[in-house]
Amino acid sequence: MIDDAVGLLGRTAVRTLRGIPVVGRLLGAAPSFDVEGRVLFITGAARGLGAEIARQAHARGAHVALVGRRMAPLQELADDLGERAAAFEADVTDSDKLQDAADAVVARFGGIDVVIANAGIAPPSDTIATIDPAAFERTVEVDLLGQWRTVRAALPAVIERQGHVVMVGSVYAFFNGVLAASYAVSKAGVEQLARTLRVELAQHGVSVGYAYLGFIDTDLATEVFADDHVGAVRQAIPGFLTRPMTVQAAAAAVLSGVDRRAARISAPGWVAPMLATRSLTTAVMDDVLMHNSGVTGAIRTAEALRAKEVVERAGVTDR
Ligand SMILES: NC(=O)c1ccc[n+]([C@@H]2O[C@H](COP(=O)([O-])OP(=O)(O)OC[C@H]3O[C@@H](n4cnc5c(N)ncnc54)[C@H](OP(=O)(O)O)[C@@H]3O)[C@@H](O)[C@H]2O)c1
């Protein structure tokens, strides 16, 4: 028992020290998990981050299983990549379809080394009081439960290969979820899933990482930024927090986490220090947002807009 605790502390210390320049080099290279020749099961691979992870991993010699809800774009990407790529249809809200996809990937490629739970959606920008309950619950269904279902379906195969799991999360795991609560709730929940899995799977030789990503230049961010309320919040907070990174940089960060079997992946560069000091940054952030007139104005406008829509809908129903 004491031996186990000392061993764990020692491994944790070595991992931490490896991250420090110069000192880290003295400790030698971290265990490497090169994707070349490995099988990656990637959800939401039709476009955005999932598609870019698939492209980069494939270019490095991986077999990529492109999983998603629309077969046509997945197949188009698979055809484009050629050998070592195949498309599999599965909506992450459907456990049976995900299990069928995982089984089909094992049949096609012989196993699964890495699962990248990536599929996700963004909710409409509304407050908790005014959001359509169906929209709130749909986000949790896809972004939280979809990731749980993905991992659950692929897990037996990943355990067999002593592989690696990546939960694609967001800085919203610890950022305030103002006007995006269902998204933040999901990303925070997924962080807990990843941490729990990391402990539960260690004895099977499986590692688990959570990706704390800032905004990425994909359709998801474009749609979120098109919303007027989000525009008002962006005006009110420092610009670097919402400046999107390229999808190439985000995908490279995720794959570098796979290479290192990293527990935490973060990008862009400002995320790591905020994460390390999160009890301070979250307390300051909540307080600043509460008292920022741009943010309170955006909340008021969002509420007023929904109230107007409800009145208009009621008018249409009465006629
Ligand atoms: N963009 C950002 O700023 C940002 C920042 C941090 C984290 N992330 C996370 O990164 C991940 C990828 O997002 P992205 O920016 O690449 O978004 P995106 O460009 O909108 O792509 C999302 C992908 O997920 C798929 N998807 C959505 N719902 C699905 C479902 N029910 N079943 C299966 N697939 C589904 C979409 O399929 P269709 O093509 O069929 O719609 C699409 O391929 C998400 O988890 C997101 O939360 C994004």
PDB file of all heavy atoms in Angstrom, residues 51 54-56 58-59 64 66 74-86:
ATOM      1  N   ALA A  51     -12.067  16.033 -38.547  1.00  0.00           N
ATOM      2  CA  ALA A  51     -11.538  15.762 -39.899  1.00  0.00           C
ATOM      3  C   ALA A  51     -10.045  16.093 -39.948  1.00  0.00           C
ATOM      4  O   ALA A  51      -9.253  15.364 -40.558  1.00  0.00           O
ATOM      5  CB  ALA A  51     -12.310  16.585 -40.932  1.00  0.00           C
ATOM      6  N   ALA A  54      -8.002  13.506 -38.226  1.00  0.00           N
ATOM      7  CA  ALA A  54      -7.916  12.332 -39.111  1.00  0.00           C
ATOM      8  C   ALA A  54      -6.871  12.552 -40.206  1.00  0.00           C
ATOM      9  O   ALA A  54      -6.037  11.682 -40.474  1.00  0.00           O
ATOM     10  CB  ALA A  54      -9.286  12.049 -39.736  1.00  0.00           C
ATOM     11  N   ARG A  55      -6.880  13.742 -40.815  1.00  0.00           N
ATOM     12  CA  ARG A  55      -5.910  14.034 -41.891  1.00  0.00           C
ATOM     13  C   ARG A  55      -4.483  13.945 -41.369  1.00  0.00           C
ATOM     14  O   ARG A  55      -3.622  13.303 -41.977  1.00  0.00           O
ATOM     15  CB  ARG A  55      -6.141  15.442 -42.458  1.00  0.00           C
ATOM     16  CG  ARG A  55      -7.246  15.495 -43.478  1.00  0.00           C
ATOM     17  CD  ARG A  55      -7.281  16.860 -44.195  1.00  0.00           C
ATOM     18  NE  ARG A  55      -8.644  17.120 -44.599  1.00  0.00           N
ATOM     19  CZ  ARG A  55      -9.509  17.867 -43.914  1.00  0.00           C
ATOM     20  NH1 ARG A  55      -9.141  18.496 -42.809  1.00  0.00           N
ATOM     21  NH2 ARG A  55     -10.744  18.014 -44.325  1.00  0.00           N
ATOM     22  N   GLN A  56      -4.224  14.600 -40.241  1.00  0.00           N
ATOM     23  CA  GLN A  56      -2.845  14.634 -39.714  1.00  0.00           C
ATOM     24  C   GLN A  56      -2.395  13.243 -39.249  1.00  0.00           C
ATOM     25  O   GLN A  56      -1.258  12.842 -39.480  1.00  0.00           O
ATOM     26  CB  GLN A  56      -2.735  15.642 -38.562  1.00  0.00           C
ATOM     27  CG  GLN A  56      -2.898  17.086 -39.020  1.00  0.00           C
ATOM     28  CD  GLN A  56      -2.593  18.114 -37.919  1.00  0.00           C
ATOM     29  OE1 GLN A  56      -2.007  17.788 -36.897  1.00  0.00           O
ATOM     30  NE2 GLN A  56      -2.992  19.357 -38.145  1.00  0.00           N
ATOM     31  N   HIS A  58      -3.508  10.373 -40.331  1.00  0.00           N
ATOM     32  CA  HIS A  58      -3.353   9.538 -41.522  1.00  0.00           C
ATOM     33  C   HIS A  58      -2.025   9.832 -42.210  1.00  0.00           C
ATOM     34  O   HIS A  58      -1.293   8.925 -42.631  1.00  0.00           O
ATOM     35  CB  HIS A  58      -4.535   9.774 -42.465  1.00  0.00           C
ATOM     36  CG  HIS A  58      -4.549   8.857 -43.641  1.00  0.00           C
ATOM     37  ND1 HIS A  58      -3.941   9.170 -44.838  1.00  0.00           N
ATOM     38  CD2 HIS A  58      -5.056   7.618 -43.792  1.00  0.00           C
ATOM     39  CE1 HIS A  58      -4.095   8.168 -45.683  1.00  0.00           C
ATOM     40  NE2 HIS A  58      -4.769   7.217 -45.072  1.00  0.00           N
ATOM     41  N   ALA A  59      -1.678  11.129 -42.271  1.00  0.00           N
ATOM     42  CA  ALA A  59      -0.409  11.515 -42.912  1.00  0.00           C
ATOM     43  C   ALA A  59       0.780  10.938 -42.146  1.00  0.00           C
ATOM     44  O   ALA A  59       1.857  10.748 -42.711  1.00  0.00           O
ATOM     45  CB  ALA A  59      -0.301  13.046 -42.965  1.00  0.00           C
ATOM     46  N   VAL A  64      -7.345   5.380 -39.917  1.00  0.00           N
ATOM     47  CA  VAL A  64      -8.334   6.255 -39.300  1.00  0.00           C
ATOM     48  C   VAL A  64      -9.760   5.789 -39.601  1.00  0.00           C
ATOM     49  O   VAL A  64     -10.151   5.635 -40.750  1.00  0.00           O
ATOM     50  CB  VAL A  64      -8.139   7.745 -39.710  1.00  0.00           C
ATOM     51  CG1 VAL A  64      -6.883   8.312 -39.054  1.00  0.00           C
ATOM     52  CG2 VAL A  64      -8.080   7.940 -41.203  1.00  0.00           C
ATOM     53  N   LEU A  66     -13.352   6.963 -39.519  1.00  0.00           N
ATOM     54  CA  LEU A  66     -14.066   8.246 -39.508  1.00  0.00           C
ATOM     55  C   LEU A  66     -15.516   7.970 -39.129  1.00  0.00           C
ATOM     56  O   LEU A  66     -16.256   7.364 -39.909  1.00  0.00           O
ATOM     57  CB  LEU A  66     -13.993   8.893 -40.888  1.00  0.00           C
ATOM     58  CG  LEU A  66     -12.597   8.919 -41.546  1.00  0.00           C
ATOM     59  CD1 LEU A  66     -12.697   9.382 -42.994  1.00  0.00           C
ATOM     60  CD2 LEU A  66     -11.669   9.845 -40.755  1.00  0.00           C
ATOM     61  N   LEU A  74     -18.264  11.822 -44.696  1.00  0.00           N
ATOM     62  CA  LEU A  74     -17.268  10.912 -44.112  1.00  0.00           C
ATOM     63  C   LEU A  74     -16.630  10.070 -45.209  1.00  0.00           C
ATOM     64  O   LEU A  74     -15.418   9.878 -45.263  1.00  0.00           O
ATOM     65  CB  LEU A  74     -17.927   9.977 -43.083  1.00  0.00           C
ATOM     66  CG  LEU A  74     -18.479  10.632 -41.816  1.00  0.00           C
ATOM     67  CD1 LEU A  74     -19.395   9.669 -41.071  1.00  0.00           C
ATOM     68  CD2 LEU A  74     -17.345  11.084 -40.898  1.00  0.00           C
ATOM     69  N   GLN A  75     -17.502   9.579 -46.120  1.00  0.00           N
ATOM     70  CA  GLN A  75     -17.004   8.732 -47.211  1.00  0.00           C
ATOM     71  C   GLN A  75     -16.113   9.539 -48.154  1.00  0.00           C
ATOM     72  O   GLN A  75     -15.084   9.055 -48.642  1.00  0.00           O
ATOM     73  CB  GLN A  75     -18.195   8.122 -47.979  1.00  0.00           C
ATOM     74  CG  GLN A  75     -17.810   7.031 -48.958  1.00  0.00           C
ATOM     75  CD  GLN A  75     -17.047   5.894 -48.275  1.00  0.00           C
ATOM     76  OE1 GLN A  75     -17.532   5.307 -47.320  1.00  0.00           O
ATOM     77  NE2 GLN A  75     -15.826   5.598 -48.745  1.00  0.00           N
ATOM     78  N   GLU A  76     -16.514  10.801 -48.359  1.00  0.00           N
ATOM     79  CA  GLU A  76     -15.719  11.683 -49.235  1.00  0.00           C
ATOM     80  C   GLU A  76     -14.307  11.861 -48.661  1.00  0.00           C
ATOM     81  O   GLU A  76     -13.308  11.768 -49.378  1.00  0.00           O
ATOM     82  CB  GLU A  76     -16.426  13.038 -49.315  1.00  0.00           C
ATOM     83  CG  GLU A  76     -15.994  13.877 -50.489  1.00  0.00           C
ATOM     84  CD  GLU A  76     -16.808  15.159 -50.536  1.00  0.00           C
ATOM     85  OE1 GLU A  76     -18.041  15.092 -50.392  1.00  0.00           O
ATOM     86  OE2 GLU A  76     -16.189  16.220 -50.689  1.00  0.00           O
ATOM     87  N   LEU A  77     -14.228  12.071 -47.339  1.00  0.00           N
ATOM     88  CA  LEU A  77     -12.913  12.234 -46.703  1.00  0.00           C
ATOM     89  C   LEU A  77     -12.129  10.917 -46.767  1.00  0.00           C
ATOM     90  O   LEU A  77     -10.918  10.915 -47.054  1.00  0.00           O
ATOM     91  CB  LEU A  77     -13.082  12.703 -45.248  1.00  0.00           C
ATOM     92  CG  LEU A  77     -11.800  12.891 -44.437  1.00  0.00           C
ATOM     93  CD1 LEU A  77     -10.837  13.877 -45.112  1.00  0.00           C
ATOM     94  CD2 LEU A  77     -12.115  13.375 -43.013  1.00  0.00           C
ATOM     95  N   ALA A  78     -12.829   9.811 -46.516  1.00  0.00           N
ATOM     96  CA  ALA A  78     -12.157   8.494 -46.569  1.00  0.00           C
ATOM     97  C   ALA A  78     -11.587   8.253 -47.968  1.00  0.00           C
ATOM     98  O   ALA A  78     -10.440   7.806 -48.120  1.00  0.00           O
ATOM     99  CB  ALA A  78     -13.125   7.385 -46.185  1.00  0.00           C
ATOM    100  N   ASP A  79     -12.379   8.598 -48.994  1.00  0.00           N
ATOM    101  CA  ASP A  79     -11.912   8.402 -50.382  1.00  0.00           C
ATOM    102  C   ASP A  79     -10.710   9.287 -50.658  1.00  0.00           C
ATOM    103  O   ASP A  79      -9.753   8.890 -51.331  1.00  0.00           O
ATOM    104  CB  ASP A  79     -13.032   8.728 -51.386  1.00  0.00           C
ATOM    105  CG  ASP A  79     -14.172   7.712 -51.305  1.00  0.00           C
ATOM    106  OD1 ASP A  79     -13.956   6.635 -50.697  1.00  0.00           O
ATOM    107  OD2 ASP A  79     -15.270   8.021 -51.813  1.00  0.00           O
ATOM    108  N   ASP A  80     -10.795  10.513 -50.138  1.00  0.00           N
ATOM    109  CA  ASP A  80      -9.721  11.476 -50.330  1.00  0.00           C
ATOM    110  C   ASP A  80      -8.416  10.975 -49.692  1.00  0.00           C
ATOM    111  O   ASP A  80      -7.336  11.085 -50.279  1.00  0.00           O
ATOM    112  CB  ASP A  80     -10.191  12.779 -49.663  1.00  0.00           C
ATOM    113  CG  ASP A  80      -9.406  13.966 -50.126  1.00  0.00           C
ATOM    114  OD1 ASP A  80      -8.932  13.917 -51.264  1.00  0.00           O
ATOM    115  OD2 ASP A  80      -9.245  14.920 -49.327  1.00  0.00           O
ATOM    116  N   LEU A  81      -8.532  10.422 -48.483  1.00  0.00           N
ATOM    117  CA  LEU A  81      -7.333   9.943 -47.778  1.00  0.00           C
ATOM    118  C   LEU A  81      -6.826   8.645 -48.407  1.00  0.00           C
ATOM    119  O   LEU A  81      -5.625   8.390 -48.451  1.00  0.00           O
ATOM    120  CB  LEU A  81      -7.640   9.728 -46.281  1.00  0.00           C
ATOM    121  CG  LEU A  81      -7.975  10.989 -45.481  1.00  0.00           C
ATOM    122  CD1 LEU A  81      -8.387  10.642 -44.058  1.00  0.00           C
ATOM    123  CD2 LEU A  81      -6.787  11.946 -45.459  1.00  0.00           C
ATOM    124  N   GLY A  82      -7.761   7.811 -48.873  1.00  0.00           N
ATOM    125  CA  GLY A  82      -7.364   6.557 -49.546  1.00  0.00           C
ATOM    126  C   GLY A  82      -7.142   5.422 -48.558  1.00  0.00           C
ATOM    127  O   GLY A  82      -7.835   5.315 -47.552  1.00  0.00           O
ATOM    128  N   GLU A  83      -6.106   4.640 -48.847  1.00  0.00           N
ATOM    129  CA  GLU A  83      -5.827   3.465 -48.024  1.00  0.00           C
ATOM    130  C   GLU A  83      -5.698   3.854 -46.547  1.00  0.00           C
ATOM    131  O   GLU A  83      -5.266   4.950 -46.238  1.00  0.00           O
ATOM    132  CB  GLU A  83      -4.482   2.893 -48.490  1.00  0.00           C
ATOM    133  CG  GLU A  83      -4.463   1.390 -48.602  1.00  0.00           C
ATOM    134  CD  GLU A  83      -3.057   0.922 -48.944  1.00  0.00           C
ATOM    135  OE1 GLU A  83      -2.482   1.490 -49.913  1.00  0.00           O
ATOM    136  OE2 GLU A  83      -2.549   0.058 -48.254  1.00  0.00           O
ATOM    137  N   ARG A  84      -6.045   2.992 -45.662  1.00  0.00           N
ATOM    138  CA  ARG A  84      -5.961   3.182 -44.204  1.00  0.00           C
ATOM    139  C   ARG A  84      -7.027   4.136 -43.661  1.00  0.00           C
ATOM    140  O   ARG A  84      -6.927   4.582 -42.529  1.00  0.00           O
ATOM    141  CB  ARG A  84      -4.569   3.664 -43.751  1.00  0.00           C
ATOM    142  CG  ARG A  84      -3.470   2.620 -43.898  1.00  0.00           C
ATOM    143  CD  ARG A  84      -2.155   3.125 -43.378  1.00  0.00           C
ATOM    144  NE  ARG A  84      -1.519   4.078 -44.266  1.00  0.00           N
ATOM    145  CZ  ARG A  84      -1.457   5.375 -44.045  1.00  0.00           C
ATOM    146  NH1 ARG A  84      -1.969   5.896 -42.960  1.00  0.00           N
ATOM    147  NH2 ARG A  84      -0.852   6.159 -44.931  1.00  0.00           N
ATOM    148  N   ALA A  85      -8.055   4.465 -44.474  1.00  0.00           N
ATOM    149  CA  ALA A  85      -9.145   5.305 -43.958  1.00  0.00           C
ATOM    150  C   ALA A  85     -10.479   4.662 -44.337  1.00  0.00           C
ATOM    151  O   ALA A  85     -10.618   4.133 -45.443  1.00  0.00           O
ATOM    152  CB  ALA A  85      -9.069   6.707 -44.546  1.00  0.00           C
ATOM    153  N   ALA A  86     -11.441   4.691 -43.420  1.00  0.00           N
ATOM    154  CA  ALA A  86     -12.771   4.155 -43.739  1.00  0.00           C
ATOM    155  C   ALA A  86     -13.817   4.921 -42.935  1.00  0.00           C
ATOM    156  O   ALA A  86     -13.536   5.426 -41.841  1.00  0.00           O
ATOM    157  CB  ALA A  86     -12.834   2.665 -43.397  1.00  0.00           C
TER     158      ALA A  86
END
